[in-house]
Amino acid sequence: MGNVEFRSAHAAVKIHQHPEPAPVNVQPLAENLQSQLVDRSNQVVGESNMQIQLDRKIEAVRLEVLDKRNNCSVTIGQLFDKALEKAQLDAEVKCSTEAAKAEYIRRHANIVWVVGPHGVGKTTLSKMMVNIILKHELLPDTEYIFFIKVKDIDFNKEMTLLEFLTTNSRVKVNYTEEESKALITFLHNNPNVVILFDGLDEASTNEFAMISRVCKFDGKSKPVDIMKNLFNLTLLPKAKIVVTSTPGPMYKLHPDYRPSIFEVLGLLEEAKNNLGTQLCGEKYPAIKKILDQQPNLAHLCYLPINFIFIVFCLLSNEGSDIKTMTQVLIFP
C-alpha cells in the first residue's frame, strides 16, 4: 500500500513522512550580524556631520541635556537610569498590582526620546552614544547596535523586522527564511540590543500620529508600523531604544511612545571654548573677543552649527565686520 503498512487489526499505522528540517544553528548568524553592526557603528562614529570641511579631527564636546521631568542637567550615560526612575515612579501611580508595575516599567524604562531644534546636536549626541557603547562605558552588555537614519527609510516598502533593521542599518545579510526567523527570534529574546533612530522629524510619512497596527516579528509590515511597534516594545521587548527629533513630530505621538523625554540645549561656555580652540587653535582668544562684542551673534552660539559657521566667518580677515546671522549665512 505504498507508504502505509498495516501489520494487523491492532497494529500501528506507519506513514512515510519527510524528516523534520534540522534546527537552525543561530550562533554563526548572530556572530556575522554582530560583526557587521560593529563595523557599521565604527563607521557611524567616524562620519563627520560638520557642514564645513576641516583639515583636522574634531573631538566631540559636551552637549547640555535637560531632564524635562525634573528640570535638571543629565549626561548621556544617565539617560536610561533617568528613564528607569521615571518608569518606577509612574508605575506606583498608574498600576495597582506588582505584576502590572513590572510590566509598566519594562515597557517604559527601555526607551528614551531626545528632542531639540535643528542644529543643536541631536545627531552628534546619537553618535557619541554609539561611541561610548562601543567602548562599553554605557550599556556595557550591548551586543547589537542598530543605527538608523530615519530620512533614509523607504516607508513605501513592506518588509520583515529583520529586513527593516538590517537594510536601514546598512548591513547586508543573505539568510534563508528559516535562518531569518531563527535570528529574529534570537534578537526578540535578547536584552542586549540597542536601536537608535536619528531624526524622526525627517521621516517621509505623516502616519506616526495614527494608531499603529500590530506587527508580527516574522511577518511583513509597513516600516511606520514596525517603528511604532518597536517604540511601544511590542516588537523586541527587551531592546533599548533611542529616538531623536525636533519637538513637533515627537509630541504628536501617543504618550505611550514617548515616556521619557530629554531636551538637548546645546553648548555651554566651557564646551564652546573647547570647540572654538579645536577649530581655531591659538587664534581662538582673539575670535572670542570679537564674538563677545557681538551679542546678536553670541546668543546664537548655543547651537553647534551656528557656532561653527560664526567662528569660521570671524576667522577670516573680513569676518570681523560680521554682526548678524544673515551676514554669516551669505558670507562667501
Short mmCIF file of all heavy atoms in Angstrom, two decimals, residues 29-30 32-34 36-37 40 144-149 152-153 157 159-175 179-180 183-184 187 193-195 197 226 230 236:
data_model
loop_
_atom_site.label_atom_id
_atom_site.label_comp_id
_atom_site.label_asym_id
_atom_site.label_seq_id
_atom_site.Cartn_x
_atom_site.Cartn_y
_atom_site.Cartn_z
N LEU A 29 25.02 32.93 12.59
CA LEU A 29 24.24 34.02 12.02
C LEU A 29 24.34 35.25 12.91
O LEU A 29 24.53 36.37 12.43
CB LEU A 29 22.78 33.61 11.86
CG LEU A 29 22.48 32.30 11.14
CD1 LEU A 29 20.98 32.03 11.12
CD2 LEU A 29 23.02 32.34 9.71
N ALA A 30 24.20 35.04 14.21
CA ALA A 30 24.26 36.15 15.16
C ALA A 30 25.65 36.77 15.19
O ALA A 30 25.79 37.99 15.27
CB ALA A 30 23.86 35.65 16.55
N ASN A 32 27.84 36.81 12.75
CA ASN A 32 28.02 37.55 11.50
C ASN A 32 27.34 38.91 11.58
O ASN A 32 27.90 39.95 11.20
CB ASN A 32 27.47 36.75 10.32
CG ASN A 32 27.51 37.53 9.02
OD1 ASN A 32 28.52 38.11 8.65
ND2 ASN A 32 26.39 37.55 8.32
N LEU A 33 26.10 38.93 12.09
CA LEU A 33 25.37 40.18 12.22
C LEU A 33 26.08 41.12 13.19
O LEU A 33 26.24 42.31 12.92
CB LEU A 33 23.94 39.90 12.70
CG LEU A 33 23.07 41.13 12.95
CD1 LEU A 33 22.86 41.91 11.66
CD2 LEU A 33 21.73 40.72 13.54
N GLN A 34 26.50 40.58 14.31
CA GLN A 34 27.18 41.41 15.31
C GLN A 34 28.44 42.03 14.74
O GLN A 34 28.72 43.23 14.94
CB GLN A 34 27.53 40.57 16.53
CG GLN A 34 28.18 41.37 17.65
CD GLN A 34 28.56 40.50 18.84
OE1 GLN A 34 28.87 39.32 18.67
NE2 GLN A 34 28.51 41.05 20.03
N GLN A 36 29.16 42.73 11.60
CA GLN A 36 28.81 43.78 10.64
C GLN A 36 28.30 45.04 11.35
O GLN A 36 28.61 46.16 10.94
CB GLN A 36 27.75 43.28 9.67
CG GLN A 36 28.24 42.23 8.68
CD GLN A 36 27.26 42.06 7.53
OE1 GLN A 36 26.98 42.99 6.79
NE2 GLN A 36 26.71 40.87 7.41
N LEU A 37 27.53 44.85 12.41
CA LEU A 37 26.99 46.00 13.13
C LEU A 37 28.09 46.78 13.85
O LEU A 37 28.04 48.01 13.93
CB LEU A 37 25.92 45.55 14.13
CG LEU A 37 24.60 45.10 13.52
CD1 LEU A 37 23.69 44.50 14.59
CD2 LEU A 37 23.88 46.26 12.82
N ARG A 40 29.79 48.76 11.16
CA ARG A 40 28.95 49.88 10.76
C ARG A 40 28.92 50.95 11.84
O ARG A 40 28.96 52.15 11.54
CB ARG A 40 27.53 49.39 10.46
CG ARG A 40 26.55 50.49 10.12
CD ARG A 40 27.01 51.34 8.95
NE ARG A 40 26.15 52.50 8.77
CZ ARG A 40 26.54 53.64 8.21
NH1 ARG A 40 27.78 53.78 7.78
NH2 ARG A 40 25.71 54.64 8.08
N TYR A 144 24.41 44.19 20.00
CA TYR A 144 23.90 44.54 18.66
C TYR A 144 23.43 46.00 18.68
O TYR A 144 22.52 46.36 19.41
CB TYR A 144 22.75 43.62 18.26
CG TYR A 144 23.12 42.16 18.35
CD1 TYR A 144 22.90 41.44 19.53
CD2 TYR A 144 23.72 41.51 17.28
CE1 TYR A 144 23.27 40.12 19.63
CE2 TYR A 144 24.10 40.18 17.37
CZ TYR A 144 23.88 39.49 18.55
OH TYR A 144 24.26 38.18 18.66
N ILE A 145 24.11 46.85 17.89
CA ILE A 145 23.76 48.27 17.80
C ILE A 145 23.25 48.56 16.40
O ILE A 145 24.01 48.48 15.41
CB ILE A 145 24.97 49.18 18.09
CG1 ILE A 145 25.68 48.77 19.37
CG2 ILE A 145 24.53 50.64 18.16
CD1 ILE A 145 26.97 49.55 19.61
N PHE A 146 21.99 48.92 16.30
CA PHE A 146 21.40 49.31 15.02
C PHE A 146 21.25 50.84 15.00
O PHE A 146 20.49 51.40 15.79
CB PHE A 146 20.02 48.66 14.83
CG PHE A 146 20.03 47.16 14.78
CD1 PHE A 146 19.88 46.40 15.93
CD2 PHE A 146 20.20 46.50 13.57
CE1 PHE A 146 19.88 45.01 15.89
CE2 PHE A 146 20.21 45.11 13.50
CZ PHE A 146 20.05 44.37 14.67
N PHE A 147 22.01 51.50 14.13
CA PHE A 147 21.92 52.96 13.99
C PHE A 147 21.17 53.26 12.69
O PHE A 147 21.64 52.93 11.61
CB PHE A 147 23.30 53.59 13.95
CG PHE A 147 23.28 55.10 13.90
CD1 PHE A 147 23.24 55.84 15.07
CD2 PHE A 147 23.28 55.77 12.68
CE1 PHE A 147 23.21 57.23 15.03
CE2 PHE A 147 23.24 57.15 12.64
CZ PHE A 147 23.21 57.89 13.82
N ILE A 148 20.01 53.90 12.82
CA ILE A 148 19.12 54.09 11.67
C ILE A 148 18.84 55.57 11.46
O ILE A 148 18.35 56.24 12.38
CB ILE A 148 17.80 53.32 11.87
CG1 ILE A 148 18.08 51.82 11.94
CG2 ILE A 148 16.81 53.63 10.74
CD1 ILE A 148 16.86 50.98 12.27
N LYS A 149 19.15 56.09 10.28
CA LYS A 149 18.78 57.45 9.91
C LYS A 149 17.38 57.40 9.32
O LYS A 149 17.16 56.80 8.26
CB LYS A 149 19.77 58.02 8.90
CG LYS A 149 21.18 58.19 9.44
CD LYS A 149 22.10 58.79 8.39
CE LYS A 149 23.51 58.98 8.94
NZ LYS A 149 24.42 59.56 7.91
N ASP A 152 16.44 58.07 5.62
CA ASP A 152 16.82 57.10 4.58
C ASP A 152 15.84 55.93 4.47
O ASP A 152 15.98 55.08 3.59
CB ASP A 152 18.22 56.56 4.86
CG ASP A 152 19.30 57.62 4.75
OD1 ASP A 152 19.05 58.63 4.05
OD2 ASP A 152 20.37 57.45 5.36
N ILE A 153 14.84 55.86 5.34
CA ILE A 153 13.91 54.73 5.34
C ILE A 153 12.92 54.87 4.18
O ILE A 153 12.36 55.94 3.96
CB ILE A 153 13.13 54.66 6.67
CG1 ILE A 153 14.09 54.39 7.83
CG2 ILE A 153 12.06 53.57 6.61
CD1 ILE A 153 13.43 54.46 9.19
N LYS A 157 7.80 50.56 1.28
CA LYS A 157 8.12 49.15 1.04
C LYS A 157 7.87 48.31 2.28
O LYS A 157 8.45 48.55 3.34
CB LYS A 157 9.60 49.03 0.63
CG LYS A 157 10.01 47.61 0.29
CD LYS A 157 11.48 47.56 -0.14
CE LYS A 157 11.90 46.13 -0.47
NZ LYS A 157 13.32 46.07 -0.89
N MET A 159 8.26 45.13 4.67
CA MET A 159 9.40 44.25 4.93
C MET A 159 9.24 43.58 6.29
O MET A 159 8.40 43.99 7.09
CB MET A 159 10.70 45.06 4.86
CG MET A 159 10.75 46.25 5.79
SD MET A 159 12.22 47.30 5.51
CE MET A 159 11.83 48.01 3.92
N THR A 160 10.06 42.58 6.50
CA THR A 160 10.08 41.94 7.82
C THR A 160 10.87 42.81 8.78
O THR A 160 11.60 43.73 8.38
CB THR A 160 10.72 40.55 7.76
OG1 THR A 160 12.11 40.70 7.41
CG2 THR A 160 10.03 39.66 6.74
N LEU A 161 10.75 42.52 10.06
CA LEU A 161 11.50 43.27 11.06
C LEU A 161 13.00 43.14 10.83
O LEU A 161 13.75 44.13 10.92
CB LEU A 161 11.14 42.76 12.46
CG LEU A 161 11.94 43.33 13.63
CD1 LEU A 161 11.85 44.84 13.69
CD2 LEU A 161 11.47 42.71 14.95
N LEU A 162 13.47 41.92 10.52
CA LEU A 162 14.90 41.73 10.29
C LEU A 162 15.36 42.52 9.06
O LEU A 162 16.42 43.15 9.08
CB LEU A 162 15.23 40.25 10.12
CG LEU A 162 16.71 39.92 9.95
CD1 LEU A 162 17.50 40.34 11.20
CD2 LEU A 162 16.91 38.43 9.68
N GLU A 163 14.55 42.50 7.99
CA GLU A 163 14.89 43.29 6.80
C GLU A 163 14.93 44.77 7.14
O GLU A 163 15.82 45.50 6.68
CB GLU A 163 13.87 43.03 5.69
CG GLU A 163 13.96 41.64 5.07
CD GLU A 163 12.80 41.34 4.14
OE1 GLU A 163 11.72 41.99 4.28
OE2 GLU A 163 12.95 40.45 3.29
N PHE A 164 13.98 45.23 7.93
CA PHE A 164 13.93 46.64 8.31
C PHE A 164 15.20 47.03 9.07
O PHE A 164 15.83 48.06 8.78
CB PHE A 164 12.70 46.90 9.18
CG PHE A 164 12.64 48.28 9.75
CD1 PHE A 164 12.13 49.34 9.02
CD2 PHE A 164 13.11 48.53 11.05
CE1 PHE A 164 12.09 50.62 9.56
CE2 PHE A 164 13.07 49.80 11.58
CZ PHE A 164 12.57 50.85 10.83
N LEU A 165 15.57 46.23 10.05
CA LEU A 165 16.72 46.56 10.88
C LEU A 165 18.03 46.51 10.10
O LEU A 165 18.87 47.41 10.23
CB LEU A 165 16.80 45.60 12.07
CG LEU A 165 15.69 45.72 13.12
CD1 LEU A 165 15.79 44.58 14.13
CD2 LEU A 165 15.75 47.06 13.83
N THR A 166 18.20 45.49 9.30
CA THR A 166 19.48 45.34 8.59
C THR A 166 19.60 46.31 7.42
O THR A 166 20.64 46.95 7.24
CB THR A 166 19.66 43.89 8.11
OG1 THR A 166 18.54 43.50 7.30
CG2 THR A 166 19.80 42.94 9.28
N THR A 167 18.54 46.43 6.63
CA THR A 167 18.58 47.34 5.48
C THR A 167 18.85 48.77 5.92
O THR A 167 19.71 49.46 5.35
CB THR A 167 17.26 47.29 4.70
OG1 THR A 167 17.05 45.97 4.21
CG2 THR A 167 17.28 48.26 3.53
N ASN A 168 18.14 49.23 6.94
CA ASN A 168 18.26 50.62 7.36
C ASN A 168 19.46 50.88 8.25
O ASN A 168 19.79 52.04 8.52
CB ASN A 168 16.97 51.05 8.05
CG ASN A 168 15.80 51.10 7.08
OD1 ASN A 168 15.82 51.81 6.08
ND2 ASN A 168 14.77 50.31 7.35
N SER A 169 20.13 49.82 8.69
CA SER A 169 21.40 49.96 9.38
C SER A 169 22.57 49.79 8.42
O SER A 169 23.73 49.83 8.84
CB SER A 169 21.52 48.93 10.51
OG SER A 169 20.53 49.14 11.48
N ARG A 170 22.25 49.54 7.16
CA ARG A 170 23.26 49.40 6.10
C ARG A 170 24.18 48.21 6.34
O ARG A 170 25.40 48.29 6.16
CB ARG A 170 24.08 50.68 5.95
CG ARG A 170 23.25 51.90 5.58
CD ARG A 170 24.14 53.09 5.31
NE ARG A 170 23.37 54.29 5.11
CZ ARG A 170 23.90 55.50 4.86
NH1 ARG A 170 25.21 55.61 4.79
NH2 ARG A 170 23.14 56.55 4.71
N VAL A 171 23.60 47.10 6.77
CA VAL A 171 24.36 45.85 6.81
C VAL A 171 23.67 44.86 5.89
O VAL A 171 22.46 44.95 5.65
CB VAL A 171 24.47 45.29 8.24
CG1 VAL A 171 25.17 46.26 9.16
CG2 VAL A 171 23.10 44.93 8.80
N LYS A 172 24.43 43.94 5.35
CA LYS A 172 23.91 43.00 4.36
C LYS A 172 23.88 41.59 4.92
O LYS A 172 24.89 41.08 5.40
CB LYS A 172 24.77 43.04 3.10
CG LYS A 172 24.75 44.38 2.38
CD LYS A 172 25.60 44.35 1.12
CE LYS A 172 25.56 45.69 0.40
NZ LYS A 172 26.41 45.68 -0.83
N VAL A 173 22.71 40.99 4.87
CA VAL A 173 22.57 39.58 5.25
C VAL A 173 21.84 38.86 4.13
O VAL A 173 21.02 39.45 3.43
CB VAL A 173 21.81 39.42 6.58
CG1 VAL A 173 22.60 40.05 7.72
CG2 VAL A 173 20.42 40.03 6.50
N ASN A 174 22.15 37.61 3.97
CA ASN A 174 21.52 36.81 2.92
C ASN A 174 21.17 35.45 3.50
O ASN A 174 21.83 34.45 3.25
CB ASN A 174 22.46 36.66 1.72
CG ASN A 174 21.80 35.95 0.55
OD1 ASN A 174 20.56 35.95 0.44
ND2 ASN A 174 22.61 35.34 -0.30
N TYR A 175 20.10 35.44 4.29
CA TYR A 175 19.70 34.24 5.00
C TYR A 175 18.45 33.63 4.38
O TYR A 175 17.66 34.32 3.74
CB TYR A 175 19.41 34.56 6.47
CG TYR A 175 20.58 35.15 7.23
CD1 TYR A 175 20.37 36.15 8.17
CD2 TYR A 175 21.88 34.70 7.02
CE1 TYR A 175 21.44 36.69 8.88
CE2 TYR A 175 22.94 35.23 7.72
CZ TYR A 175 22.72 36.24 8.64
OH TYR A 175 23.78 36.78 9.33
N GLU A 179 16.45 30.67 8.49
CA GLU A 179 17.54 31.33 9.20
C GLU A 179 17.11 32.71 9.70
O GLU A 179 17.44 33.11 10.82
CB GLU A 179 18.76 31.45 8.29
CG GLU A 179 19.46 30.12 8.02
CD GLU A 179 20.55 30.26 6.98
OE1 GLU A 179 20.47 31.19 6.13
OE2 GLU A 179 21.49 29.45 7.01
N SER A 180 16.38 33.44 8.86
CA SER A 180 15.90 34.77 9.25
C SER A 180 14.97 34.69 10.46
O SER A 180 15.06 35.49 11.39
CB SER A 180 15.19 35.44 8.08
OG SER A 180 16.08 35.67 7.01
N LEU A 183 17.00 33.94 13.55
CA LEU A 183 17.78 35.08 14.01
C LEU A 183 16.91 36.14 14.67
O LEU A 183 17.25 36.69 15.72
CB LEU A 183 18.56 35.69 12.85
CG LEU A 183 19.49 36.86 13.20
CD1 LEU A 183 20.47 36.47 14.30
CD2 LEU A 183 20.24 37.33 11.96
N ILE A 184 15.75 36.45 14.09
CA ILE A 184 14.90 37.47 14.68
C ILE A 184 14.29 36.97 15.99
O ILE A 184 14.06 37.75 16.93
CB ILE A 184 13.80 37.93 13.69
CG1 ILE A 184 13.28 39.32 14.09
CG2 ILE A 184 12.68 36.94 13.60
CD1 ILE A 184 14.32 40.41 14.08
N LEU A 187 16.97 37.62 18.50
CA LEU A 187 17.02 39.04 18.87
C LEU A 187 15.83 39.42 19.75
O LEU A 187 15.94 40.25 20.65
CB LEU A 187 17.06 39.92 17.62
CG LEU A 187 18.30 39.81 16.75
CD1 LEU A 187 18.15 40.67 15.50
CD2 LEU A 187 19.55 40.22 17.52
N VAL A 193 20.27 44.39 22.89
CA VAL A 193 20.06 45.03 21.59
C VAL A 193 19.78 46.51 21.82
O VAL A 193 18.96 46.87 22.68
CB VAL A 193 18.89 44.39 20.83
CG1 VAL A 193 18.61 45.13 19.53
CG2 VAL A 193 19.17 42.92 20.56
N VAL A 194 20.46 47.37 21.07
CA VAL A 194 20.22 48.82 21.12
C VAL A 194 19.88 49.30 19.72
O VAL A 194 20.57 48.97 18.76
CB VAL A 194 21.45 49.58 21.65
CG1 VAL A 194 21.22 51.10 21.58
CG2 VAL A 194 21.76 49.17 23.08
N ILE A 195 18.80 50.08 19.61
CA ILE A 195 18.39 50.66 18.32
C ILE A 195 18.32 52.17 18.48
O ILE A 195 17.63 52.68 19.37
CB ILE A 195 17.02 50.13 17.87
CG1 ILE A 195 16.98 48.61 17.91
CG2 ILE A 195 16.71 50.62 16.46
CD1 ILE A 195 15.60 48.02 17.66
N PHE A 197 17.26 55.60 16.50
CA PHE A 197 16.58 56.23 15.37
C PHE A 197 16.94 57.71 15.38
O PHE A 197 16.52 58.46 16.26
CB PHE A 197 15.06 56.07 15.48
CG PHE A 197 14.57 54.67 15.27
CD1 PHE A 197 14.28 53.85 16.35
CD2 PHE A 197 14.39 54.17 13.99
CE1 PHE A 197 13.81 52.56 16.16
CE2 PHE A 197 13.92 52.87 13.78
CZ PHE A 197 13.64 52.07 14.87
N ILE A 226 6.21 49.06 11.90
CA ILE A 226 7.32 48.39 12.59
C ILE A 226 7.93 49.33 13.63
O ILE A 226 8.17 48.94 14.78
CB ILE A 226 8.39 47.94 11.58
CG1 ILE A 226 7.86 46.82 10.69
CG2 ILE A 226 9.66 47.49 12.31
CD1 ILE A 226 8.82 46.40 9.59
N LEU A 230 8.03 48.95 17.66
CA LEU A 230 9.29 48.97 18.38
C LEU A 230 9.23 50.01 19.51
O LEU A 230 9.70 49.76 20.62
CB LEU A 230 10.46 49.30 17.44
CG LEU A 230 10.90 48.18 16.50
CD1 LEU A 230 11.86 48.71 15.44
CD2 LEU A 230 11.57 47.04 17.28
N LEU A 236 10.61 43.24 19.84
CA LEU A 236 11.87 43.28 20.58
C LEU A 236 11.68 43.91 21.96
O LEU A 236 12.22 44.97 22.28
CB LEU A 236 12.93 44.07 19.78
CG LEU A 236 13.25 43.56 18.38
CD1 LEU A 236 14.48 44.28 17.82
CD2 LEU A 236 13.46 42.06 18.35
#
